[in-house]
Amino acid sequence: EAGVAQSPRYKIIEKRQSVAFWCNPISGHATLYWYQQILGQGPKLLIQFQNNGVVDDSQLPKDRFSAERLKGVDSTLKIQPAKLEDSAVYLCASSNLLGTEAFFGQGTRLTVV
Amino acid sequence: GESVGLHLPTLSVQEGDNSIINCAYSNSASDYFIWYKQESGKGPQFIIDIRSNMDKRQGQRVTVLLNKTVKHLSLQIAATQPGDSAVYFCAEMRDTGNQFYFGTGTSLTVIP
C-alpha cells in the first residue's frame, strides 16, 4: 500500500516570498491533516479536512496560510508571504473516517532566510 | 491550556535493556492515543494505539499502558535495539473531530 506522498522534500525561500506544498494521501482516506513541526517540538495541527471540507482550521494563521483540498483527494498548503518563523517541517497525514492510525508523509522541510 | 506532555526529554538505554517512555495528558475527554516514532528526517511512524476503554495493549516488542485515573500513558519497548533510537511522541485524539494533538517528544538513544 502506498503511503502519504509529499513534495517537495526541501524548500528554501526568502522572507516575503510565497511557497506551496503538495500532499497525496493514502487512497481511500477521507481525512487529511497538515501539521507544522518546528525543530525540537512535536507536530502542531494546522488544518484538518474531511473529504473536501474543513473540519478544523483554528490554528491556521489565516492571514498568510491557506490550504485546499478541492476534489477531496490531494491537498495543497500555501504560505504567502513567508516569515522567518515559518521555518519548519510541514507534515501531511491521512486517516480513515474513524481517525484511527493516522499515517504521515515524509514532510517538507521549509527554510525561510 | 490543555496539553499533552512528556516527563523526560531524553532517555539513554543500553542495547538489550527495556525502555519506558512516559506521557502525561490533561484532557480527560481524550479517548484515543497513539505512540509515534520519528527518525531524523522522516515523518512520524505509527507504532501502537490504545483506546480509553483499555488499560494495556501489546504489539511486537512494544506495550502501551494507559492509566486514566492519573491521565498517564507509557510506551514500553522490550529488548531495545539500536534501530529504536528516535524521538517518540504520544498523540491524543480528543472526542471531537478526530484531531490529533502531540506532546514535545522524548529522544531515545540506544547505547550499543
Side-chain angles (χ1 to χ4, degrees):
Chain A
E1 175 183 276
V4 177
Q6 289 188 248
S7 68
R9 286 281 280 132
Y10 305 94
K11 190 74 177 178
I12 301 175
I13 61 171
E14 295 183 347
K15 59 184 179 183
R16 291 188 289 274
Q17 286 187 321
S18 62
V19 64
F21 313 125
W22 173 82
C23 173
N24 178 244
I26 292 173
S27 177
H29 277 187
T31 305
L32 185 147
Y33 310 83
W34 282 103
Y35 284 84
Q36 179 193 60
Q37 186 175 25
I38 293 172
L39 186 65
Q41 298 182 15
K44 182 185 96 171
L45 179 67
L46 292 175
I47 189 168
Q48 177 193 355
F49 292 94
Q50 186 158 304
N51 297 310
N52 61 349
V54 175
V55 174
D56 183 0
D57 63 356
S58 58
Q59 298 189 84
L60 186 74
K62 298 181 187 63
D63 58 331
R64 298 184 300 105
F65 286 64
S66 64
E68 60 183 14
R69 193 185 184 199
L70 292 176
K71 296 183 179 179
V73 180
D74 293 2
S75 176
T76 55
L77 176 69
K78 297 179 182 178
I79 307 175
Q80 181 179 13
K83 292 185 176 181
L84 296 176
E85 59 260 36
D86 297 332
S87 294
V89 175
Y90 290 84
L91 294 162
C92 179
S94 70
S95 72
N96 56 26
L97 277 174
L98 293 175
T100 58
E101 295 192 22
F103 292 97
F104 283 80
Q106 296 266 49
T108 296
R109 181 176 296 278
L110 173 68
T111 302
V112 182
V113 298
Chain B
E2 296 174 318
S3 65
V4 177
L6 297 178
H7 291 307
L8 296 172
T10 61
L11 178 66
S12 295
V13 298
Q14 289 290 139
E15 182 178 358
D17 287 353
N18 297 333
S19 302
I20 299 176
I21 300 171
N22 297 303
C23 178
Y25 65 95
S26 55
N27 189 334
S28 57
S30 296
D31 59 1
Y32 177 62
F33 304 87
I34 301 178
W35 278 101
Y36 285 94
K37 173 186 179 183
Q38 188 173 29
E39 297 174 280
S40 180
K42 296 184 178 180
Q45 176 189 357
F46 176 94
I47 301 174
I48 192 168
D49 59 357
I50 189 167
R51 290 211 167 272
S52 59
N53 61 352
M54 302 172 69
D55 297 322
K56 179 180 179 179
R57 191 164 188 220
Q58 287 185 291
Q60 187 176 20
R61 284 202 307 119
V62 295
T63 301
V64 55
L65 300 177
L66 175 62
N67 185 331
K68 295 179 286 293
T69 302
V70 295
K71 296 201 268 304
H72 178 273
L73 68 160
S74 65
L75 176 70
Q76 300 177 2
I77 305 173
T80 313
Q81 303 168 0
D84 295 327
S85 293
V87 177
Y88 289 81
F89 294 98
C90 66
E92 63 173 325
M93 186 171 78
R94 296 168 188 174
D95 60 353
T96 56
N98 294 348
Q99 292 94 22
F100 288 95
Y101 296 89
F102 285 78
T104 304
T106 292
S107 177
L108 174 66
T109 301
V110 181
I111 304 166

